[in-house]
Amino acid sequence: MTGLGAVFRPQLPPERLRSVVRLADESGLDQLWLWEDCFREGGISTAAAALAWTERVRIGVGLLPVPLRNVALTAMEAASLHRMFPGRPILAVGHGVQDWMGQVGARVESPVTLLREHLGALRALLAGERLTRDGRYVRLDDVALDWPPAAAVPVLAGATGPRSLRLAGEAADGTVLTSSTSPDGVRAARLLIDEGRTSAGRAADPHEVVVYLLAATGPDAAARLRTELAAEGLASVPDLGVAGDADAVAKAVQRLADAGADTVVLQSTGDEPDPEGFVRFAAEQVRPLLP
């Protein structure tokens, strides 16, 4: 079954999160995703609050920019969330937006090398291993978590380019694709991810693909979708986003699922007038239409 989620967009102030996440929990939505976009809400702090305010909905963070984070800190925070709320956090790491990384003095010469080193160390620490590493960016001296997760937890990677997609297959347990990914883009990404999995001898391991889908509903949905795509420079790219009723959105979700997405996360437009209503729409109108 295809998982369905929605995004709490960081254009919303943090104090709006409680009402949105509680509605997601009560309405039966599978997942609510948060973003650690500079310079808005922090990913771990908002995830911890969202998990504490709810009982069943899974909370994703897509994604934590690795240039901002020492891998030991990422591991400590991830382990704490997984021990307090077993099975419910979903954490993804990635390069981050390079211009933002430059603004805070964290831009690196080789983002792919950093992500590879971070993923390897993070997955090992969360598995309870004791590490000494002397990489280009990740350096650890006899480091182990006192409180690793009680069970194995997946680590996802955000990826767009071919090198990063192959790396996600090699070194991560899943991949997050942006809303600029069409169904054909999902198919192409799957091939690159699988190349990485095969090269690392991980072809038999599970690997979840999460795809964001820009979606709008309501009387002005088409106009809001066009405006958002134009603002992102994507107005001429075919098969991106969907505007319309629950049936139209469910069909767009299914097209991504047929292309290889395991989970589709509905991403409202930045000017969505009713975030709570959007979450209710996803859970109560779109979800029942999916097989």
Side-chain angles (χ1 to χ4, degrees):
M1 182 178 71
T2 306
L4 185 70
V7 177
F8 176 87
R9 293 205 43 163
Q11 286 86 349
L12 295 168
E15 57 268 27
R16 287 291 297 273
L17 177 60
R18 187 170 186 168
S19 64
V20 173
V21 73
R22 282 188 164 179
L23 179 59
D25 199 47
E26 294 163 2
S27 63
L29 190 67
D30 301 336
Q31 302 175 9
L32 187 79
W33 281 72
L34 312 170
W35 293 351
E36 188 167 79
D37 272 5
C38 296
F39 299 94
R40 298 179 172 124
E41 293 98 344
I44 295 295
S45 55
T46 49
L51 289 161
W53 286 329
T54 56
E55 297 294 333
R56 48 150 300 278
V57 66
R58 300 191 72 195
I59 301 298
V61 181
L63 46 76
L64 301 170
V66 297
L68 289 178
R69 295 178 165 274
N70 183 285
V71 69
L73 178 62
T74 308
M76 290 159 59
E77 292 183 323
S80 295
L81 289 182
H82 280 287
R83 288 187 71 102
M84 291 188 289
F85 308 101
R88 293 178 58 210
I90 311 167
L91 299 182
V93 298
H95 303 305
V97 176
Q98 295 307 296
D99 287 346
W100 291 342
M101 300 301 100
Q103 281 182 267
V104 297
R107 190 167 187 163
V108 299
E109 185 177 356
S110 178
V112 172
T113 300
L114 170 57
L115 183 58
R116 181 185 301 279
E117 292 180 359
H118 194 103
L119 279 167
L122 178 59
R123 293 179 68 242
L125 288 169
L126 291 174
E129 296 181 26
R130 182 172 296 276
L131 296 185
T132 294
R133 297 280 173 92
D134 187 21
R136 181 173 178 181
Y137 299 109
V138 173
R139 297 179 178 88
L140 301 170
D141 182 11
D142 195 32
V143 174
L145 297 177
D146 282 8
W147 297 105
V153 297
V155 175
L156 281 62
T160 53
R163 292 179 64 201
S164 296
L165 287 164
R166 291 189 187 95
L167 172 59
E170 292 175 27
D173 304 299
T175 303
V176 178
L177 303 175
T178 71
S179 62
S180 63
T181 313
S182 67
D184 284 344
V186 174
R187 293 185 184 93
R190 268 287 191 188
L191 291 174
L192 292 165
I193 292 165
D194 287 345
E195 285 180 16
R197 295 170 70 203
T198 299
S199 69
R202 302 186 65 203
D205 295 345
H207 191 101
E208 181 178 11
V209 173
V210 178
V211 186
Y212 293 123
L213 171 63
L214 186 63
T217 190
D220 60 348
R224 287 193 288 112
L225 181 68
R226 285 195 301 271
T227 299
E228 180 112 351
L229 288 172
E232 296 294 327
L234 299 171
S236 62
V237 180
D239 298 325
L240 291 186
V242 57
D245 60 11
D247 184 62
V249 175
K251 287 177 179 176
V253 170
Q254 191 57 50
R255 287 193 291 273
L256 290 171
D258 292 342
D262 299 297
T263 297
V264 177
V265 181
L266 301 183
Q267 174 184 323
S268 64
T269 58
D271 60 353
E272 167 59 52
D274 183 8
E276 290 85 359
F278 184 82
V279 167
R280 189 181 298 280
F281 166 75
E284 297 182 356
Q285 296 186 49
V286 178
R287 170 80 272 177
L289 299 178
L290 299 176

